[in-house]
Amino acid sequence: LSESGATSTFLSSGEERVVTTIFPAAPDADTKVIFFFHGLMDSSHGSPSAVFASAFSMQSIADELNAIIILPESNVWNLFGLSFYLWDVEEGTFDKDVTLFDDLRTCVYDQFQPNMDKLFTMGFSGGGLFTTIITSLRSDTLAGVVEMSGGADLDTGLLEGIVAPYSTPVNSVPVYLTSGGENDVWPNNQLVIVNFEEGTQPLADNLSADGHFVVRCSHSSGHTVTNADFNAAWDFVEAHEFGQPSPYE
C-alpha cells in the first residue's frame, strides 16, 4: 500500500491473491473505503483489477471523493475449455473470498485509519453477484451497497448450487441496484445462462421485505454500466454513512 494504483499480491487464507489499491495523496480520518468487485473476464486479457481500475478512472474518483478504492481479484476458473476470472459465487464455495474481504479491510485500516463508518462495497456482473454475498454476510461493516447487473438466488443450470444465495443481513444497509433490461444477460441472448435483470428483482424484493432501503433502477442498454448509472453510484456513496438513515428516503 505504498503506491497508489499498484497491483500486487496479498496473502489470505494461505494463498497469494492479487489486489489493486488506489488512494488519494493524503488519506485522513474522514477518508472513505470502497471495495469494487470486478466482473467476469477472460484470463488472457490481463489483471481484471488493473483493467477495471484503468477503465473506470478510479484514481480520479479516489481523489474527488477522498476515498481508498480496493479492487481485489478473483481466482481463475477453468470450465468448458475456457479460462476466466470469476468470484466464487456458488453456494458453499465462497468462504475464502469473503475472508479476503475481511483481511483487506483490516489491512487498509491498519495502514491508513480511514473512516470505517464510510465503507462501501460495489460490484458489476459477477462482481455484483459476489456483492450480494458480502451484503448478506458483512452488513455490519457496510455504510451502503451498489450492485450493477448482479442479483441473487440464481439457478444457472451449469453449477450444482444456487449462485449468489441471499440471506437476511443482520444490519440495515441502504442498497442501490441497477440492471440493463431484457438484454442484460450472459453470455448472449441466444444462450442465456445468467439473466441479470431477472436476478436483480428478487434481490430487491428480499431486501425490501427485510426492511432495507432499496433504490431500484433499470436501463435498456443491456449488460453494461451506463454513464448515468456510474455517476449515480458515486452520488449514492457520497450520501451515506453507517448507522444513519438514507437521505434518499
Side-chain angles (χ1 to χ4, degrees):
L1 297 176
S2 60
E3 180 186 352
S4 181
T7 300
S8 56
T9 57
F10 181 88
L11 193 65
S12 179
S13 299
E15 299 177 358
E16 281 200 345
R17 303 294 297 266
V18 176
V19 59
T20 299
T21 309
I22 299 169
F23 46 88
D28 56 36
D30 197 46
T31 299
K32 303 171 186 65
V33 179
I34 303 169
F35 278 80
F36 186 93
F37 295 103
H38 64 78
L40 182 149
M41 196 174 91
D42 190 303
S43 62
S44 66
H45 293 164
S47 163
S49 62
V51 167
F52 273 78
S54 175
F56 288 164
S57 301
M58 292 293 194
Q59 185 64 61
S60 296
I61 294 167
D63 294 337
E64 181 179 347
L65 299 187
N66 185 26
I68 300 164
I69 304 177
I70 307 164
L71 297 99
E73 197 163 289
S74 73
N75 285 318
V76 175
W77 288 39
N78 292 288
L79 194 65
F80 306 118
L82 302 174
S83 177
F84 50 86
Y85 289 93
L86 179 64
W87 295 97
D88 288 331
V89 291
E90 185 184 4
E91 190 171 23
T93 69
F94 40 72
D95 287 354
K96 287 184 177 180
D97 282 349
V98 173
T99 298
L100 177 64
F101 169 80
D102 294 338
D103 289 345
L104 286 169
R105 192 178 76 244
T106 300
C107 182
V108 166
Y109 179 76
D110 288 346
Q111 177 83 7
F112 295 110
Q113 289 81 53
N115 187 345
M116 301 303 276
D117 283 340
K118 294 183 178 180
L119 186 148
F120 302 84
T121 183
M122 306 175 68
F124 167 66
S125 189
L129 297 176
F130 186 65
T131 296
T132 294
I133 294 165
I134 294 296
T135 305
S136 294
L137 300 180
R138 294 295 184 266
S139 63
D140 56 338
T141 71
L142 301 175
V145 172
V146 175
E147 193 165 316
M148 297 172 280
S149 293
D153 297 329
L154 295 162
D155 183 358
T156 65
L158 290 178
L159 303 174
E160 293 182 1
I162 295 297
V163 168
Y166 173 83
S167 57
T168 300
V170 296
N171 276 56
S172 180
V173 57
V175 181
Y176 173 85
L177 300 176
T178 182
S179 55
E182 63 181 6
N183 293 319
D184 194 353
V185 299
W186 179 85
N188 54 58
N189 286 334
Q190 286 69 48
L191 176 63
V192 177
I193 295 175
V194 180
N195 187 314
F196 294 95
E197 181 79 14
E198 292 182 0
T200 299
Q201 194 55 50
L203 175 59
D205 294 340
N206 285 334
L207 286 164
S208 296
D210 285 338
H212 302 269
F213 177 69
V214 179
V215 175
R216 173 74 174 102
C217 296
S218 182
H219 56 82
S220 58
S221 298
H223 193 55
T224 188
V225 179
T226 67
N227 288 334
D229 260 344
F230 200 55
N231 293 332
W234 301 117
D235 289 343
F236 190 83
V237 165
E238 277 278 82
H240 291 89
E241 186 168 351
F242 184 84
Q244 302 298 315
S246 174
Y248 282 51
E249 291 194 66

